[in-house]
Amino acid sequence: MHLPSKLRFASSQLITITVLLTLLLFIPQVWLNLQAYYDFNSISKNEFKLQRLSDEITYFDEVLTMSARMNAATGNTIWEQRYRQFEPKLDIAIKESIQLAPKAYKNEDAKRIDAANQRLVAMEYQSFDLVDKNQKETAQQLLFSHKYETQKQIYADGVMKRKYNISLELQQNVDEYYQRILWAISESIISLAMLIPAWLLVLHLLQQYLKAKKIAQAALEETNYRLEMQVTERTAKLKHKNIQLQNTLQELQHTQVQLIQTEKMSSLGQLVAGVAHEINNPVNFIYGNLMYIREYSQQLLTLIKLYKQQYYSDNSEINHLINEIDLEFIVDDMPKILLSMAVGTERIREIVLTLRNFSRLDEAEMKFVDIHEGINSTLLILQYRFKENHKQQEIAILKDYDNLPLVECYAGGLNQVFMNILSNAIDALHQREVEYLKGDIERQLNSIIIHTQVKNDECVIISIKDNGLGITEEDKTRLFDPFFTTKPIGKGTGLGLSISYEIIVEKHKGKIKCISAPGKGTEFVIEIPIKQIR
């Protein structure tokens, strides 16, 4: 079937006009969409880079503070070298962050942050000079002073606020991007509404012509089908690639934060080991000489007693001095004082021993260790958090230890697990105190029960149970997922239990589970092989 020549001519003109109108309306839309896409891509890259730089700045700040304090604590110049090694890295990270978000570094908050940072750097450099002058105690007092902690808090709060402002600015850019997209979609809809009648007319005029092209139409439909299949296939591939990229990004974030956490725990172990070593030497000196002091003082007291029996009645000056210093009280009290000093030094030696046991965090080899020593050393490190203060009541620690054999394990890794679980238990009990102060629940004694037992010839069980608020079933299913936390923003990274799961299950081939319900407290049960299977 052929159309009349006039109809074909009119159809051709109408098609040409309609196509030109389509191009005129949609080319700007395509350009706007491409522009919006590139803008959004730029925003995403900047946001990821700013987050990375923010994490680096926080990490470098902590490294500088730790290096300065370790230099003051040990007097070892290697910490000053470490400080000066990381200082230019911090400056580079800050400069890159300024280039990406200049507005956040030009306001009044930025001036306060810089001022606080300058004061911190000045105090840290001053501590280096004091250490060089062999004034470690003065340097320690400077770096642990209220002034230093205040400037550190001002700087940390300012950095957090700056990070929030940068995130807010990025969110505003994203909102602007969404607004442009909405305008582009609206314009596309209006353009489509204008073109639909014209195209309907074109389709009506071409209907008779298309009937004569059935074979070509069939071929065209087959081509369209193939194109749709290709589009579907490529879309599925793109979705798969996107999922892979998201998983890779999450793994990288997990690895990054885990490395930071591992570095912190390793630094903590080194710090504790150094402090224990420095305390141990003078304590051993004092402890070793106390025995001789007690012997010498007893001999002197015997001599005074003998002298008193023989000569004191003939000398009024000696009698006056004896009455003035209350000699009888001194004779009675001196053995008690020496005994209390001996008890005190023995307690210090026990504390040093537990600190040195906890400092095995950096040990990389599997060894047969006493699980109870690791738990006790961790409790000692957290002891200050158990005490009563104006915000919370005392936390009672109840130990129910079985006679466990030595267990082959990574001692430092298990100490880290105990630290994570006990810290979470303390936080849960603190939250219970908050709910009590609100009047939502009744008060009861805060307690943590630690129970150990031998399951069989192959495994031991460690249970840590608190009487906090408990955990819901929904949260329990995600408890060991990376970055999942039930704590408020800024209170937890969501990696403690994830790292603990990896240490117990993957490194020790053991098991860890959580038993909890709302209002019933939380119990973590750890099962570890006594001997690892090679």
Side-chain angles (χ1 to χ4, degrees):
M1 174 179 289
H2 298 281
L3 293 173
S5 58
K6 292 184 179 181
L7 182 58
R8 290 201 302 270
F9 181 75
S11 300
S12 177
Q13 287 182 331
L14 184 59
I15 291 172
T16 301
I17 294 172
T18 305
V19 169
L20 291 175
L21 184 61
T22 302
L23 294 176
L24 182 64
L25 293 173
F26 276 93
I27 286 178
Q29 299 300 318
V30 172
W31 182 84
L32 289 174
N33 289 333
L34 288 175
Q35 186 66 33
Y37 169 78
Y38 286 119
D39 290 343
F40 182 76
N41 192 36
S42 177
I43 291 171
S44 300
K45 289 181 179 178
N46 287 344
E47 182 179 8
F48 177 77
K49 193 169 184 180
L50 281 169
Q51 289 177 352
R52 178 180 61 80
L53 289 172
S54 179
D55 292 339
E56 287 184 359
I57 290 171
T58 302
Y59 171 69
F60 290 146
D61 282 334
E62 292 299 324
V63 170
L64 292 180
T65 301
M66 182 198 70
S67 299
R69 286 180 168 176
M70 285 300 298
N71 181 71
T74 63
N76 193 339
T77 58
I78 192 173
W79 293 107
E80 182 178 355
Q81 296 173 5
R82 179 181 176 88
Y83 181 99
R84 301 187 186 280
Q85 177 185 359
F86 278 88
E87 190 175 18
K89 295 181 181 180
L90 175 60
D91 293 337
I92 293 172
I94 292 175
K95 290 178 181 178
E96 291 181 4
S97 183
I98 291 174
Q99 292 177 354
L100 294 175
K103 293 181 181 179
Y105 288 84
K106 293 181 179 179
N107 52 27
E108 292 298 322
D109 290 335
K111 294 180 180 178
R112 287 195 295 271
I113 295 172
D114 291 338
N117 186 39
Q118 291 174 4
R119 286 190 284 269
L120 287 172
V121 171
M123 285 188 281
E124 289 163 354
Y125 272 79
Q126 184 181 356
S127 73
F128 292 148
D129 293 337
L130 291 172
V131 173
D132 292 339
K133 296 176 181 178
N134 200 22
Q135 298 180 16
K136 290 194 299 180
E137 294 183 357
T138 306
Q140 293 173 16
Q141 293 174 359
L142 176 64
L143 294 183
F144 289 91
S145 65
H146 177 72
K147 179 180 178 182
Y148 183 87
E149 293 294 340
T150 300
Q151 297 302 321
K152 187 70 176 177
Q153 187 63 38
I154 292 173
Y155 179 77
D157 293 341
V159 170
M160 290 299 295
K161 186 175 181 180
R162 177 189 292 162
K163 185 176 180 181
Y164 172 77
N165 291 335
I166 291 174
S167 300
L168 186 62
E169 182 180 350
L170 291 172
Q171 184 61 42
Q172 290 175 351
N173 292 336
V174 172
D175 293 339
E176 291 175 2
Y177 162 76
Y178 285 141
Q179 188 174 7
R180 290 198 300 272
I181 289 295
L182 289 176
W183 276 110
I185 292 173
S186 300
E187 293 175 2
S188 299
I189 292 173
I190 294 172
S191 301
L192 185 62
M194 294 173 61
L195 291 173
I196 285 176
W199 279 109
L200 288 175
L201 182 58
V202 169
L203 292 175
H204 178 71
L205 293 173
L206 293 177
Q207 185 177 10
Q208 295 181 355
Y209 180 78
L210 294 176
K211 288 180 180 179
K213 301 292 182 179
K214 289 183 179 181
I215 297 177
Q217 179 67 24
L220 181 61
E221 290 177 354
E222 183 178 356
T223 302
N224 288 337
Y225 175 77
R226 291 177 180 176
L227 288 174
E228 289 177 357
M229 293 297 296
Q230 290 178 0
V231 170
T232 303
E233 183 179 354
R234 290 179 181 176
T235 302
K237 289 181 179 180
L238 287 174
K239 289 182 179 179
H240 180 67
K241 292 291 184 182
N242 187 36
I243 293 173
Q244 287 182 335
L245 288 174
Q246 290 178 349
N247 292 337
T248 302
L249 177 61
Q250 187 174 3
E251 290 176 0
L252 287 174
Q253 291 175 339
H254 184 194
T255 303
Q256 180 187 19
V257 180
Q258 188 171 358
L259 286 174
I260 294 174
Q261 182 72 9
T262 302
E263 178 67 18
K264 287 181 178 179
M265 295 303 294
S266 177
S267 299
L268 175 61
Q270 295 173 8
L271 174 62
V272 170
V275 171
H277 177 73
E278 292 298 326
I279 294 175
N280 193 48
N281 290 334
V283 167
N284 284 336
F285 176 77
I286 295 171
Y287 185 80
N289 287 310
L290 273 176
M291 178 180 66
Y292 299 105
I293 291 177
R294 293 174 66 181
E295 181 179 351
Y296 297 159
S297 64
Q298 188 61 44
Q299 291 173 356
L300 289 174
L301 291 175
T302 302
L303 177 60
I304 291 172
K305 183 177 180 181
L306 182 61
Y307 183 84
K308 178 181 176 183
Q309 293 173 354
Q310 297 294 329
Y311 300 104
Y312 88 97
S313 59
D314 299 331
N315 193 320
S316 61
E317 184 177 355
I318 293 176
N319 291 333
H320 178 71
L321 180 60
I322 288 174
N323 294 329
E324 182 178 354
I325 66 174
D326 197 353
L327 180 61
E328 292 183 359
F329 175 78
I330 293 176
V331 171
D332 181 63
D333 195 49
M334 182 175 288
K336 298 178 183 179
I337 293 176
L338 292 174
L339 180 61
S340 65
M341 291 173 65
V343 173
T345 53
E346 181 64 30
R347 175 58 182 156
I348 295 174
R349 293 180 69 194
E350 292 176 358
I351 293 174
V352 169
L353 181 62
T354 56
L355 287 174
R356 295 176 67 179
N357 178 59
F358 182 81
S359 67
R360 293 186 296 182
L361 284 169
D362 57 346
E363 291 187 2
E365 297 180 0
M366 274 202 172
K367 296 181 178 180
F368 284 93
V369 299
D370 186 347
I371 296 294
H372 295 156
E373 286 185 359
I375 297 174
N376 291 336
S377 63
T378 306
L379 290 173
L380 179 66
I381 297 298
L382 295 172
Q383 187 175 16
Y384 74 99
R385 299 190 65 189
F386 301 140
K387 297 181 178 179
E388 182 178 5
N389 55 44
H390 66 284
K391 293 183 179 179
Q392 67 173 42
Q393 63 172 330
E394 182 180 0
I395 299 175
I397 304 299
L398 308 177
K399 300 178 184 179
D400 182 16
Y401 290 169
D402 195 1
N403 187 18
L404 297 185
L406 297 180
V407 176
E408 185 181 18
C409 62
Y410 295 104
L414 282 187
N415 288 348
Q416 187 174 356
V417 173
F418 299 148
M419 176 73 75
N420 290 334
I421 295 177
L422 287 169
S423 296
N424 286 343
I426 295 170
D427 291 339
L429 294 174
H430 289 179
Q431 185 60 35
R432 181 179 180 87
E433 288 289 317
V434 172
E435 297 297 325
Y436 163 73
L437 294 176
K438 292 179 181 178
D440 296 337
I441 60 174
E442 296 181 357
R443 191 164 199 173
Q444 64 179 23
L445 176 64
N446 290 334
S447 65
I448 297 176
I449 303 174
I450 304 174
H451 172 71
T452 62
Q453 69 178 67
V454 178
K455 181 180 180 181
N456 49 41
D457 294 339
E458 299 178 352
C459 296
V460 297
I461 294 176
I462 304 102
S463 166
I464 301 175
K465 182 178 182 181
D466 64 71
N467 62 339
L469 296 176
I471 305 173
T472 64
E473 286 295 327
E474 181 180 358
D475 289 341
K476 279 171 58 178
T477 59
R478 303 177 57 195
L479 205 56
F480 299 106
D481 293 346
F483 305 109
F484 173 77
T485 178
T486 58
K487 299 178 182 178
I489 297 175
K491 296 295 185 180
T493 62
L495 285 174
L497 290 179
S498 174
I499 294 173
S500 300
Y501 182 87
E502 180 180 347
I503 292 172
I504 296 299
V505 177
E506 297 182 11
K507 291 187 177 182
H508 291 86
K509 310 303 179 186
K511 299 177 183 178
I512 180 171
K513 66 178 180 179
C514 175
I515 303 172
S516 182
K520 301 295 184 181
T522 303
E523 179 182 9
F524 283 92
V525 180
I526 301 170
E527 184 176 323
I528 305 178
I530 297 175
K531 186 175 182 180
Q532 295 293 320
I533 300 176
R534 299 293 190 271

